[in-house]
Amino acid sequence: MSTNHNHPFHLVTISPWPIINAFNLMNLLLSLVMWFFYLNSSLFFFNMFILISSMFLWWRDVIRESTFQGFHSLSVMKLMKFSMILFIISELFFFISLFWAYFHAMSSPSIEIGLLWPPKNIIMFNPFSIPLLNSLILISSGISLTWSHNSLLNSNYKESMISLMITIILGMYFSSLQFIEYLEAPFCLNDSTFGSIFFMTTGFHGLHVIIGIIFLSFTFIRLINLHFSSIHHFNFEAASWYWHFVDVIWLFLYISIYWWMF
C-alpha cells in the first residue's frame, strides 16, 4: 500500500482480528447458553481463551501503529477521542436502561411482590458498611488517576507510574469487597424483581470495573515502557475517561439502590 496520501488520516492495513473477534463473540454467547442449560463449561472457556488472544493481538497491532510507526497523527487522535466519547455515551444509555427498570419497579411495585419496595423478606445491605467503603475507594481511585494524568502532562513519569499503580490497586480492592458482599448477600438473583435488578445493575458495574482495571493495567505497562509523552497519550486519556465514567455510575448506584432503600 502506498504511503503517499492527500489526507492526514490513517487507513489501517488489512487485519483479520475484527472478523475473528466477531465470530468469537458469537461463539462465546452460544457456549454461555450451553453452560447454563447443559452445564458444560469447556467450550465457554475455550472461546474465552481464543477471544482474549485475538484481542491481545489486535491491541498489539494498534500499539505498533501508534507508537512505533507514528500513524496516529493529531487528526487521527481527534477522531479516536470522538469515538471514545460516543462509546462512553452508549455505555451511559446501557446503565440508564437498568436504572429505568429499577425506578419503574420502585414507583409502581406489582401485586406479585406485595405492592412493596423492596419486597417483603428482602433484607437490604447496610449502606454505611461495605457500600460506603467502596464509594470512598472509587472516589480515591479517581483522585489518584487525576494525579497520575497531571504528572504525565508535566513529564513526571515516576510520579505518574506510582499514582496509576495506586489506582489499579484500589480498583482491585473494590472488586474484592464487592465479591465478599455478594457472598454475604441475604438475597439472590431470583429473589423477585428487586434481586434481579440489584444483581444486574451492580454486577454489570462490577464487570465494567474489571474491564477498567485491565484497561489501566495495559496503560501502566505502556507507561513503564515510555510509550507516552506529555502531548501524545490517548491510551491514558481513554482509560481515565472510562474509569471516571465508572466512578460516576457507582455514585448514582450507591445513592439510588443502597442509601435510598435503607
Side-chain angles (χ1 to χ4, degrees), residues 149-168:
H149 189 200
N150 186 68
S151 299
L152 181 59
L153 290 174
N154 290 281
S155 300
N156 190 342
Y157 294 99
K158 182 178 180 180
E159 197 170 284
S160 181
M161 293 177 195
I162 293 173
S163 49
L164 184 57
M165 175 57 72
I166 292 173
T167 305
I168 295 172

Side-chain angles (χ1 to χ4, degrees), residues 2-250:
S2 175
T3 58
N4 296 321
H5 302 299
N6 294 322
H7 55 77
F9 307 109
H10 169 50
L11 299 179
V12 297
T13 55
I14 298 175
S15 173
W17 310 125
I19 187 65
I20 290 176
N21 269 347
F23 278 110
N24 281 337
L25 287 172
M26 181 185 69
N27 292 332
L28 190 69
L29 177 60
L30 296 176
S31 61
L32 191 62
V33 173
M34 289 184 60
W35 188 6
F36 285 171
F37 286 92
Y38 300 105
L39 302 179
N40 184 0
S41 61
S42 57
L43 189 60
F44 171 80
F45 288 107
F46 173 76
N47 286 322
M48 181 62 74
F49 172 76
I50 299 298
L51 178 64
I52 293 174
S53 301
S54 59
M55 288 174 64
F56 179 83
L57 293 171
W58 194 357
W59 295 342
R60 178 206 61 181
D61 292 349
V62 174
I63 291 173
R64 182 193 296 132
E65 291 173 356
S66 64
T67 306
F68 302 108
Q69 294 178 308
F71 288 150
H72 288 188
S73 62
L74 293 178
S75 298
V76 174
M77 287 177 59
K78 184 177 180 179
L79 290 177
M80 292 176 69
K81 290 179 180 179
F82 184 68
S83 301
M84 188 64 191
I85 292 172
L86 290 179
F87 170 71
I88 291 177
I89 291 174
S90 69
E91 292 286 283
L92 174 63
F93 277 92
F94 170 75
F95 279 102
I96 286 176
S97 66
L98 295 176
F99 281 112
W100 188 295
Y102 174 79
F103 284 112
H104 175 77
M106 181 185 67
S107 60
S108 181
S110 64
I111 193 171
E112 288 81 6
I113 58 175
L115 302 176
L116 297 173
W117 193 262
K120 191 175 181 180
N121 296 326
I122 292 290
I123 303 173
M124 193 52 194
F125 296 97
N126 184 358
F128 305 109
S129 180
I130 291 180
L132 179 60
L133 178 58
N134 269 344
S135 301
L136 296 176
I137 290 171
L138 274 190
I139 293 173
S140 301
S141 68
I143 294 173
S144 61
L145 183 58
T146 303
W147 171 26
S148 178
H149 189 200
N150 186 68
S151 299
L152 181 59
L153 290 174
N154 290 281
S155 300
N156 190 342
Y157 294 99
K158 182 178 180 180
E159 197 170 284
S160 181
M161 293 177 195
I162 293 173
S163 49
L164 184 57
M165 175 57 72
I166 292 173
T167 305
I168 295 172
I169 292 174
L170 288 174
M172 296 172 66
Y173 187 31
F174 174 91
S175 298
S176 302
L177 288 177
Q178 190 171 38
F179 178 71
I180 294 173
E181 183 182 67
Y182 279 3
L183 291 178
E184 297 178 349
F187 56 92
C188 62
L189 182 67
N190 56 359
D191 278 335
S192 76
T193 310
F194 183 86
S196 301
I197 297 176
F198 175 85
F199 283 102
M200 282 285 290
T201 308
T202 59
F204 271 111
H205 177 270
L207 176 63
H208 282 71
V209 171
I210 294 174
I211 294 173
I213 292 171
I214 297 172
F215 205 169
L216 291 173
S217 298
F218 273 90
T219 303
F220 180 74
I221 294 172
R222 295 191 64 191
L223 187 61
I224 291 177
N225 291 305
L226 302 178
H227 287 187
F228 301 138
S229 68
S230 59
I231 60 172
H232 201 290
H233 51 267
F234 171 72
N235 184 187
F236 194 108
E237 289 183 324
S240 62
W241 292 352
Y242 187 84
W243 192 257
H244 290 310
F245 163 75
V246 171
D247 287 354
V248 173
I249 292 296
W250 172 259

